Amino acid sequence: MEIVHIASEFAPLAKVGGLADAVAGLAKALVAKGHRVEVILPHYDLFAPLELREIGRLYIVEKGRSIENIVRMTHYEGVQLTLIEARHPEHYFRRGKIYGELDDNDRFLFFCKVASHMLLQRKQLPEVVHLHDWMTASVPLFLAPHRPKRLIFTIHNLNHQGKCARFNLDRLEISYDEKELADPLEPDTLNLLKGAILKSDAVAVVSPSYAKEIQTLEGGGGLGPFLARHKKKLRGILNGIDTQTWDPQTDRFLHAHYSPSTFLEGKKSNKALVQEKLGLTPNEKVPLIVAITRLVPQKGPDLIAYGIERCAQLGGQFVLLGSPAQEEIRTQFEELQRSLAGDRHIAFRFEHDEPLSHLLYGASDFLFMPSLFEPCGLAQMIAMRYGSIPLVHATGGLKDTVFDPASSEKPNGFLFQVPDNKGVSSLLERAFSFYYGPRAKWEELILNGMGADWSWEASAQKYLRLYSD
Ligand code: ADP
């Protein structure tokens, strides 16, 4: 099958978050199954040098002026990457970052127009065109009246919907149905994500539970009732993780490698190194909890802060590796850090540190993830592969991947239902008593997580079904 993804991120070349991992993971898994897979991306200035071949030039009209675009290609682990360099006077993709610009709508609408015109110039459209999130949601408008056999759209996060004004589309000389694009809450605003949902043959959502949650008033970000009306199109398909990068038997950032039969020794040795490196009291017996996260409202920063304090009261150790995006959240945690200064059971790192994250997964007994909502979540799957037990809020993809001893015959972690301090407190108490309880039960929990298949293989199979339905 010939499958073309149009996306704004691809790991590790252009990555902001889980979207990059998902696009790359799915593309590579489809290649492994023998399909021809192409990913079309903007050619950002932040790409590492790549060996590229120019395959064409394309002139696109915006606000009455014609703008040159150079299309180049390369291969990356079997995936054809097609990069569009927009020679745009406003340097749309030469800003040193992927998002966060005032003209993000214009930048990605322009990219969609070029990508669509490039596809229309080919002898025929690919069998499958697969779009990801609001950034590529306008492709069906630019392809119209043509369309591929299957047009698939994946919602990775409903928080951003590409809300824009008429002039954002009008400057690209495109026709559209205002009613179709009208945002349900702000009818004068156009909603690109809504348009893509209407135009696609199927809409994948990155976990079955999130697919349900987004159909509600609470979880639908303004699109709940609309999504409920289109629920026949929705399919919850979990993301996988890159099992080559995330492998405790080979991970180059681990102090000690280990497998399901050697995890006790391996994790002990990694724990000792973490305690030494981060200035924690050396003690192999004390439970070590980590949180490895962007510190943004979605991830439940108040609950993380409370969890740290509660863990300290219960005599555990806690390491927070958190990258704060907002000043208030950074300040909140710096104050907490000051109030706990001198406590050799707690350590804070406010940055994005890839090597340290690997070591923390390999050293910890628990991963704490109290997200208020979580479309899929990768950290809990990585943790389980590394024998670190996830302690999570029962929401979205967390609910679909973590199973509690209270309700499952094959448990692999602990869930709490209500995202408040009481919920966190009883979660930690339960986890600690399990930790100090019979070792055989504890080890069974770890082995259930380590033995599960978190690869892209199963999810790619589900996507293939969606492509050929
Ligand atoms: P999201 O994509 O919403 O951030 P996920 O759980 O899907 O959440 O993916 C998070 C990924 O980013 C995981 O691989 C996690 O290890 C990594 N990560 C998050 N914060 C940090 C950090 N501060 N340092 C290193 N890695 C991080």
Side-chain angles (χ1 to χ4, degrees), residues 18 293-294 299 321 323 351-353 357 361 369 377-379 382:
T293 183
R294 294 182 294 123
K299 303 293 178 181
L321 171 59
S323 26
E351 61 206 342
H352 185 99
D353 185 335
S357 74
Y361 286 116
M369 203 168 169
L378 299 176
I382 299 171

Side-chain angles (χ1 to χ4, degrees), residues 15-21 156-157 239 241 246 291-296 298-299 320-324 349-358 360-361 367 369 371 373-382 398:
K15 172 166 168 168
V16 175
L19 170 62
D21 295 311
H156 297 262
N157 194 330
N239 288 331
I241 56 172
W246 297 107
I292 302 166
T293 183
R294 294 182 294 123
L295 285 173
V296 294
Q298 175 194 338
K299 303 293 178 181
L320 169 64
L321 171 59
S323 26
R349 288 289 179 279
F350 299 121
E351 61 206 342
H352 185 99
D353 185 335
E354 193 73 27
L356 180 60
S357 74
H358 288 241
L360 291 176
Y361 286 116
L367 173 92
M369 203 168 169
S371 309
F373 72 94
E374 193 59 75
C376 176
L378 299 176
Q380 83 281 13
M381 293 192 251
I382 299 171
L398 297 175

Side-chain angles (χ1 to χ4, degrees), residues 4-7 38 40-43 55-62 65-72 82-89 92-93 105-122 125 131 135-136 138-143 171-174:
V4 172
H5 293 268
I6 307 182
E38 176 182 357
I40 303 175
L41 297 159
H43 193 160
I55 53 170
R57 290 187 182 222
L58 213 66
Y59 293 84
I60 291 297
V61 175
E62 184 195 60
R65 58 192 173 177
S66 169
I67 294 163
E68 186 185 38
N69 297 271
I70 306 177
V71 184
R72 300 187 181 89
T82 302
L83 308 180
I84 295 176
E85 184 197 331
R87 296 236 156 148
H88 197 279
Y92 274 171
F93 298 104
N105 282 329
D106 293 326
R107 297 168 66 225
F108 288 101
L109 278 163
F110 183 82
F111 165 64
C112 288
K113 182 168 180 178
V114 189
S116 307
H117 281 232
M118 183 183 74
L119 289 182
L120 289 170
Q121 283 187 356
R122 295 184 182 171
L125 281 177
L131 311 171
M135 297 72 97
T136 54
S138 61
V139 166
L141 302 176
F142 291 110
L143 285 180
R171 68 211 295 273
L172 286 163
E173 301 181 3
I174 177 183

